[in-house]
Amino acid sequence: MREVFFTGAFLLLLLAGAAAAATPEEDAAQVMVTGAVIDPAVLMPGDVATVTVTVKNTAQVSVPVRSAKMYTEGNILVLDNPYQTFGAIGAGNEASFTFTVQADAGSGTYYPRFVLDFTNAGSLRYAVPVKVEAVEPRVSVADIPDAFTAGKKDIVRVTVSNPRSGEVNGVSVMPSGEGLVSVPTSAFIGALAPDGSAEVAFNITPESETTLTMTVTYRNGRNQRTTEVSIPIVFSEDKKSARIVVSGVDVTTENGSYRVSGDVTNAGLEVAKAVVVTVGSPGVPVDPNRVYPVASLDPDDLSNFELTFRAENVTEVPLVIEYRDTNGNLYTTRTNISVEGTALPGEGEEGGSLPLTVVLLIVAALAVVGAVIFFSWRRAKGG
């Protein structure tokens, strides 16, 4: 038993001696880089980023460190070096070192050097790959109307895409331009992954010809950036809009007022919504049909209407048709209808709508009845 005890003790002394025999260089060699993180992952020219290098001491003893530095490589500028002095990395421990760099370079991959200087035991060198891409997120016009019209609201759609190999954050789009109104005033997209895209829409109402600018703001890491696209707004005729045509108009008098009926047809290529027919001044709409709602008219669709109104000392009155497009824009068209030759009874007269032939027949019938009564009376008196 005593022999076994002495043998074990001897082996422990050998192991302890072996550990004690490790040189500082051998201990330092057990320190290795386990990772490096760049934020943002892909820089743009001029961007500021952070580079964090993590090392681990796998030795059985603490390893003293004099300093940790990063050195400028090419056009990757190192803006700070906060670890001019350092203590030691304990056995089995990790340590992280963060530096600030700036990309004063075009597209490419660069390798600034991280150097961990051990006290009297050499150094650890590690090249950190830093990627720079000059390409920016793109904004493109997805949909605009065929024609812009003053005061008319139209939808403009834009697509923002991210062709970069890194994510961008806080993406938003804001339209602007002199003499135009946008609803909404801006749109927030958020983060765009690599090769990702998003579409936003705005209701644009221009009051004059101008330039619509879509400004996209976004962040790449801590770096705030913008890009934009310009859209010229030039007024022209909208060849696809709804076009209301009036036909089959018939005007008569009835109960002391005019009664007009006819048809309205949508001869355009887009739907006409909320169609309403009435008469304008000098015509005065009266019951029972002051206005006539037709509802929606699809292209080539037709609907009849009927109105009642009064008008004095005029030969024609305007027929007013109001309708809206799918964006809610209001349109008004006017068509004059003739009332000449259609006599309107005077105020307070009843039965004015009876045709003249009927009146003459009534008078003739009354004359015949009177004559019969007169001759009957004379025959009776003579008898």
Side-chain angles (χ1 to χ4, degrees), residues 91-163:
N93 290 343
E94 287 186 339
S96 295
F97 305 90
T98 300
F99 307 89
T100 303
V101 301
Q102 184 174 24
D104 187 20
S107 297
T109 302
Y110 305 87
Y111 299 90
R113 288 170 294 116
F114 169 75
V115 178
L116 192 64
D117 186 9
F118 301 110
T119 305
N120 300 323
S123 62
L124 170 66
R125 297 171 181 269
Y126 182 79
V128 181
V130 176
K131 190 173 183 180
V132 180
E133 287 182 355
V135 61
E136 293 185 327
R138 295 173 181 169
V139 53
S140 56
V141 179
D143 186 27
I144 60 173
D146 293 333
F148 286 100
T149 304
K152 179 187 175 185
K153 178 174 62 179
D154 279 304
I155 294 179
V156 176
R157 303 178 190 275
V158 294
T159 299
V160 182
S161 55
N162 178 21

Side-chain angles (χ1 to χ4, degrees), residues 65-372:
V65 174
R66 178 182 290 118
S67 65
K69 297 179 181 179
M70 179 159 283
Y71 292 88
T72 294
E73 163 64 22
N75 291 322
I76 300 299
L77 308 179
V78 179
L79 302 182
D80 61 6
N81 258 308
Y83 310 101
Q84 297 295 328
T85 60
F86 200 77
I89 303 175
N93 290 343
E94 287 186 339
S96 295
F97 305 90
T98 300
F99 307 89
T100 303
V101 301
Q102 184 174 24
D104 187 20
S107 297
T109 302
Y110 305 87
Y111 299 90
R113 288 170 294 116
F114 169 75
V115 178
L116 192 64
D117 186 9
F118 301 110
T119 305
N120 300 323
S123 62
L124 170 66
R125 297 171 181 269
Y126 182 79
V128 181
V130 176
K131 190 173 183 180
V132 180
E133 287 182 355
V135 61
E136 293 185 327
R138 295 173 181 169
V139 53
S140 56
V141 179
D143 186 27
I144 60 173
D146 293 333
F148 286 100
T149 304
K152 179 187 175 185
K153 178 174 62 179
D154 279 304
I155 294 179
V156 176
R157 303 178 190 275
V158 294
T159 299
V160 182
S161 55
N162 178 21
R164 296 173 53 77
S165 58
E167 183 181 79
V168 293
N169 304 92
V171 182
S172 62
V173 184
M174 184 174 68
S176 62
E178 185 175 354
L180 61 80
V181 176
S182 172
V183 178
T185 55
S186 64
F188 182 72
I189 295 175
L192 275 181
D195 295 330
S197 65
E199 182 179 288
V200 292
F202 300 92
N203 288 310
I204 302 296
T205 306
E207 296 298 335
S208 60
E209 294 186 342
T210 184
T211 298
L212 169 62
T213 301
M214 292 288 186
T215 302
V216 178
T217 60
Y218 63 96
R219 293 194 315 274
N220 188 36
R222 68 172 73 177
N223 307 281
Q224 189 73 40
R225 291 183 170 274
T226 62
T227 186
E228 62 184 30
V229 64
S230 296
I231 305 169
I233 292 183
V234 179
F235 295 154
S236 60
E237 181 183 0
D238 189 353
K239 299 179 181 178
K240 293 184 177 179
S241 62
R243 188 166 66 91
I244 302 300
V245 176
V246 180
S247 61
V249 175
D250 181 38
V251 180
T252 59
T253 58
E254 181 178 290
N255 298 328
S257 61
Y258 289 105
R259 175 181 176 276
V260 57
S261 61
D263 299 321
V264 287
T265 304
N266 181 6
L269 299 179
E270 295 180 348
V271 64
K273 291 182 171 293
V275 182
V276 175
V277 185
T278 186
V279 295
S281 179
V284 179
V286 296
D287 290 330
N289 295 314
R290 292 174 175 268
V291 296
Y292 197 92
V294 180
S296 294
L297 282 177
D298 292 328
D300 298 329
D301 200 4
L302 175 147
S303 176
N304 56 25
F305 67 90
E306 183 176 296
L307 297 170
T308 48
F309 66 94
R310 291 191 62 85
E312 297 180 355
N313 303 322
V314 296
T315 57
E316 59 184 19
V317 295
L319 192 68
V320 181
I321 301 105
E322 294 183 343
Y323 61 97
R324 296 179 183 275
D325 63 13
T326 53
N327 295 324
N329 295 298
L330 178 64
Y331 299 85
T332 301
T333 63
R334 291 171 178 264
T335 301
N336 287 334
I337 56 175
S338 175
V339 296
E340 189 174 15
T342 307
L344 188 65
E347 187 73 25
E349 293 184 6
E350 297 294 340
S353 62
L354 290 176
L356 180 60
T357 54
V358 175
V359 175
L360 293 177
L361 288 175
I362 294 174
V363 172
L366 290 175
V368 171
V369 171
V372 171

